[in-house]
Every structure is written in structure tokens, then in C-alpha cells.
Amino acid sequence: MNLPAEFIEKMKDLLGDEFDDYISCYQEPRWYGLRVNTAKISVEEFEKICPFEIKKVPWIENGFYYEGDKVQAAKHPYYFAGLYYLQEPSAMTPASRLPVSAGDKVLDVCAAPGGKATELGAKLAREGVLAANDISNSRAKGLLKNIEVFGIGNVLVLSEEPGKLEDYFTGYFDKILIDAPCSGEGMFRKDKKVVKAWEEHGPEFFAKLQKSIITQAARMLKPGGLMLYSTCTFDVRENEETIEYLLDTYPEFQILPMEGYEGFCKGRWDLSKSKNEDLKKTIRIFPHKMHGEGHYLALLQKGDPLEETIESKTYSNPKQGVKKIPEDLEAFLKYTTLDIKKERLEIHGETVYYMPKAIPDIKGLRFLRTGLYLGDLKKNRFEPSQALAMYLKKEEYKFTIDLPVTDERVIRYLKGETIEVDDFVSAKEKGWYLLLVDGYPLGFGKLLQGTLKNKYLPGWRWQS
């Protein structure tokens, strides 16, 4: 592989005697990873039902390696059920090292395609709010799909510049993750196309952008809150010096230690401008030391920890919510165990959303989704959404058809076909049924006389 001469000289200075080991790892195969969606299934249960061979990623509780050159992991019904996300092993690290608890208000600043946002959302356990943002509208669409496949409903999916978000969310978030746009040096081994992009826009270009993003994010973090900054590059300007810039601009921030692993390397404080030894608490990941690609992480806290959560903004717009739940929706909800509060319902035309608690008015921002998309109010009926199907658990809806993964009707349903299910229900039964695979929802169908009319979202369908 032809690497730029400037990059090679920099890595020789950075790695010293380890440089030859680093270059040698370019001859080794890449590592493929998947991360279990613990909002839907436990790690232990997934290990029991996983249809292909997996091996633990030792520094990630719910991370596994799989043989990506032999297995089509994205072509299995469990993937469509949102039981796992395909993610490079080192890239799993940032979301794993940001402590998120149920009820937190969390921001993923540069979230597409959703690898980190989906993990943060799973940690929230349906409480609090996940704001997932990506400046690219096209990338944000992919982000939204991944969030909905994972069954995360307490969300705001946005497509804005971080600077504009600040006007709405100053001092609002408990936790913020910044997986910053970067020169991508840590991905050279995985993807040769990144090298060409590096030659067009190198570290200096991205360092300026990163400094802007991290200071904007700092102002959206509430006092005592935590922020995780990460890149997939090796350059000191994009890593340690960006953290230095934050500390110079906002001295109330402090670097915190993270849970370690034997392959992690300390941040290069000695190459920074300030020679701040606290930078040793940041983490570097190198592909010649671990089974993963290159990464950098820094965990920071804004001031001292707070004993109690500060509610800087609340969901208090009196125009939001409904006075009475529409009859058709109420009739459908009787078949669920969901505790839907009318003050958190929003209806726009025919479309019904269930909003997270304690969010500010975001009018004026570009967004793709606010809250859980429940479905649509049609004439004399309510039609549940694909997002609601993925949000529900088997025990939360009365009418279900649970197919084993070996049943050929599973794939036919995912392709959008109508299927016969008279071996599961009587001919008298009718209405909205939730189709499952081995107990995990795939989507809704309209049942009539033993035939399930397919309501699986067309844009998500199985492609042969």
C-alpha cells in the first residue's frame, strides 16, 4: 500500500521503534465487529442464538468479532430485528467509555451513520433524551433508520451545524459525545480511499474544524456534565492539541481517566504544546497493538460533579401535547402495555409522535424526527408505524405472530410479500398483528382470514 511520505515520516516520529510493527500490520486482514443491542437482548442470550461464529472484543462488554469475509451479517433476520449493529471494533470504544445512565440528556454531535448513537440510546433504556445530529441531511437519513431499527424512541434526530444547536441547547446536556470529523489516518489500513481524502484535506484542515465543534459542544454541556471526544486519526494536532485548546478556552474542564485495556496507549502529552501531563489520561489505539483500527479518546468533565441534576430547560410549551387522545389511537393503545401520556403526544396532520420528557422548543432547527413516530390517523382508523413496531417488545403488544428464524416466511415478509399465517391464527382473527422472529419484532401486518397483508417499510426491505 502506498502511504504518503509526509504521513510515514510523522508516524516514524510518533512510534519510534514500533514503526516497523505498525507498517507490518498493513499486511494483516482487517477485523470485523458487531455490537449487541442490549436494549433488545442480553449479551448472554445473543451468544446462545447467534447463527454464526463470534468471539468477544475484550475491551467492549457487548462487542464481538465475526468473520466478515465469510459471513453476511447484514443479511440475517436478526440484523433486521435490530439485535446487533455492525461496527469496527475500535469504533465501539467511545460510546462504551462515556458513562450514560437512564434519564440522561445525551447529545451525539456528529452521529451518522449511528454506530455510537445507537449504543448511547440503548444505554438510556427509554428514559431521558438522545439528540443525534449530523450536518449532512442524506447521512442523517441513514442515522434515523439505524436508530429506529434499534427501537430507540426518546430521540431528536437533527441535521444542523453544531453552532446552531447551541442557540437551543446551551447548558442542557448531561453527556455529549463528539466523534469528530477527522483526517482518518487510523482508517488507512481498513480503507485505501481514506488516503486520497487525506491528501485533499489533511490534519490542519480538520484541526480547525474540531476546535470549533468541541468549544460549541462545551457550551451545550451543563455544569458537572461529561464529554467524550474521539477521532480515528493519529495526528497530535487533531487529538491532544484539540483537547489543549478546549482546556485553554474553558479552564473549568478537566480530563478524567477511562477504563483501561492492556492494548491502550497513553496520550502523547510530550508532543503537545503545553506538555500537560493530564493528557496521559487520554487514550490512543494503534492497529499493531490491538485487533482494531486507529482511534483517539478523551473523557472530560465540566467543573465538579453535581449532587443533583440541574433542569436548565424543560418541556413546557403549553401548545404541545393533546387535551384528549384520539379515539382510534386510544383503541389501538388498549392492546399495548405502553403508558402513553397525553401531554407528551404531538399530532401533525395525520401523524402522531410521542415526545421525550424535558426537551426545549426546537422550532427553527432542521430535524428528521422528534420523538417516537407512533403512526398515522387515517379516516376511522389508526395505522401503527414501522418505528413503533421496532420499539415494542413481544410482551408489550397483544396480537403477535412469532415465526422461527428457519421459517421461509420471515424472509418473504422482509421482502414485502403477503404471507399466509393460518397455522398461527384462526380465520376469524383480524386487525393489526406484530410479526416477530424468535420473539423479536420485525414489523406490522394487517390480518384478514389467515392472510397477513405486509406493512413492512418499503425502504427497509430485504434486497436479494
Side-chain angles (χ1 to χ4, degrees):
M1 182 177 183
N2 293 322
L3 294 171
E6 181 184 344
F7 172 74
I8 290 175
E9 290 306 312
K10 178 173 64 177
M11 294 303 289
K12 286 180 178 178
D13 291 339
L14 184 68
L15 293 171
D17 294 341
E18 295 182 16
F19 176 75
D20 289 342
D21 291 337
Y22 168 71
I23 289 296
S24 295
C25 81
Y26 276 79
Q27 307 305 316
E28 299 173 3
R30 60 169 288 192
W31 294 89
Y32 294 85
L34 67 83
R35 197 192 69 251
V36 177
N37 180 4
T38 53
K40 286 181 178 279
I41 186 172
S42 70
V43 171
E44 293 74 21
E45 187 60 31
F46 181 78
E47 287 182 284
K48 291 177 185 176
I49 69 169
C50 186
F52 43 85
E53 186 176 346
I54 53 175
K55 183 181 178 181
K56 279 286 295 169
V57 176
W59 69 95
I60 305 291
E61 288 185 359
N62 56 334
F64 292 88
Y65 297 106
Y66 74 98
E67 295 182 288
D69 53 343
K70 298 179 181 178
V71 174
Q72 289 186 302
K75 297 287 283 185
H76 192 279
Y78 292 162
Y79 179 76
F80 285 77
L83 300 192
Y84 57 88
Y85 186 96
L86 302 182
Q87 189 173 30
E88 192 279 315
S90 292
M92 299 178 192
T93 316
S96 77
R97 288 334 191 241
L98 179 61
V100 170
S101 302
D104 281 344
K105 300 179 184 67
V106 181
L107 170 65
D108 187 343
V109 180
C110 310
K116 298 167 180 70
T118 47
E119 174 67 2
L120 299 174
K123 286 182 176 184
L124 286 173
R126 294 185 171 183
E127 298 181 34
V129 60
L130 170 68
N133 177 72
D134 200 275
I135 192 172
S136 165
N137 189 261
S138 60
R139 285 169 54 83
K141 289 177 182 177
L143 166 66
L144 172 60
K145 177 188 174 181
N146 285 325
I147 284 174
E148 290 188 335
V149 168
F150 251 52
I152 301 165
N154 50 326
V155 296
L156 304 174
V157 180
L158 304 146
S159 183
E160 280 290 358
E161 294 182 7
K164 190 167 183 182
L165 294 179
E166 184 190 340
D167 296 336
Y168 294 77
F169 294 104
T170 301
Y172 176 79
F173 292 104
D174 301 292
K175 313 285 167 61
I176 294 178
L177 189 146
I178 308 169
D179 186 40
C182 70
S183 60
E185 294 171 350
M187 295 294 128
F188 283 4
R189 203 181 73 94
K190 175 186 171 185
D191 188 352
K192 296 178 181 179
K193 291 181 290 186
V194 181
V195 177
K196 184 176 180 181
W198 183 91
E199 290 173 332
E200 294 176 4
H201 292 294
E204 190 172 347
F205 169 84
F206 285 102
K208 293 177 182 178
L209 181 60
Q210 291 151 0
K211 290 179 174 64
S212 175
I213 292 173
I214 199 170
T215 50
Q216 289 163 347
R219 295 189 285 272
M220 290 187 274
L221 190 66
K222 66 176 53 173
L226 299 177
M227 180 160 67
L228 192 294
Y229 174 84
S230 69
T231 70
C232 55
T233 196
F234 301 123
D235 198 280
V236 173
R237 289 168 290 182
E238 299 181 73
N239 295 333
E240 288 86 354
E241 288 186 8
T242 298
I243 302 304
E244 274 186 315
Y245 179 80
L246 173 70
L247 298 179
D248 288 343
T249 307
Y250 294 110
E252 65 268 31
F253 275 84
Q254 56 184 310
I255 303 172
L256 300 182
M258 282 173 277
E259 179 188 351
Y261 174 68
E262 61 183 359
F264 290 168
C265 296
K266 296 177 181 178
R268 294 300 301 267
W269 66 278
D270 54 317
L271 299 179
S272 67
K273 294 177 181 177
S274 66
K275 303 297 188 288
N276 182 349
E277 291 198 24
D278 275 352
L279 289 166
K280 290 180 182 178
K281 298 175 185 175
T282 66
I283 290 172
R284 282 176 168 268
I285 297 175
F286 291 100
H288 65 287
K289 286 181 169 289
M290 296 172 62
H291 294 160
E293 306 304 326
H295 239 78
Y296 174 81
L297 300 88
L299 180 63
L300 304 121
Q301 186 162 49
K302 187 177 183 178
D304 295 324
L306 299 182
E307 293 183 4
E308 297 181 3
T309 300
I310 295 176
E311 294 289 351
S312 56
K313 293 188 179 183
T314 59
Y315 181 85
S316 58
N317 189 332
K319 294 182 180 180
Q320 293 175 323
V322 297
K323 293 181 179 179
K324 187 178 184 300
I325 298 178
E327 290 182 7
D328 297 330
L329 173 59
E330 191 168 36
F332 175 86
L333 290 175
K334 286 180 180 178
Y335 301 125
T336 80
T337 59
L338 300 178
D339 183 19
I340 299 294
K341 308 292 186 184
K342 63 183 181 181
E343 62 270 18
R344 290 172 56 191
L345 280 174
E346 282 195 13
I347 301 175
H348 300 280
E350 295 181 338
T351 309
V352 185
Y353 301 95
Y354 193 57
M355 304 297 287
K357 282 193 259 186
I359 61 170
D361 185 353
I362 61 170
K363 184 178 180 181
L365 288 178
R366 289 186 299 173
F367 58 86
L368 284 74
R369 179 74 77 243
T370 54
L372 171 63
Y373 170 31
L374 292 177
D376 298 288
L377 294 164
K378 304 290 187 178
K379 187 177 181 181
N380 299 322
R381 70 186 190 278
F382 171 75
E383 291 192 359
S385 71
Q386 181 69 43
L388 177 59
M390 303 308 292
Y391 179 81
L392 288 166
K393 302 181 190 305
K394 179 180 180 178
E395 63 273 15
E396 291 177 332
Y397 188 66
K398 183 176 181 180
F399 303 111
T400 62
I401 297 170
D402 193 358
L403 299 178
V405 72
T406 52
D407 193 312
E408 52 89 21
R409 286 172 292 186
V410 172
I411 304 300
R412 288 177 52 211
Y413 174 82
L414 291 172
K415 288 181 176 180
E417 297 178 18
T418 294
I419 58 175
E420 300 298 323
V421 291
D422 51 3
D423 53 334
F424 280 85
V425 294
S426 74
K428 296 180 181 179
E429 300 297 327
K430 62 180 181 179
W432 290 104
Y433 271 70
L434 185 62
L435 191 78
L436 309 108
V437 57
D438 289 342
Y440 300 98
L442 291 174
F444 281 108
K446 195 70 176 288
L447 181 69
L448 183 63
Q449 296 180 340
T451 298
L452 193 70
K453 185 177 180 182
N454 200 306
K455 295 294 181 179
Y456 191 66
L457 195 65
W460 292 16
R461 287 178 184 169
W462 182 290
Q463 301 296 318
S464 299

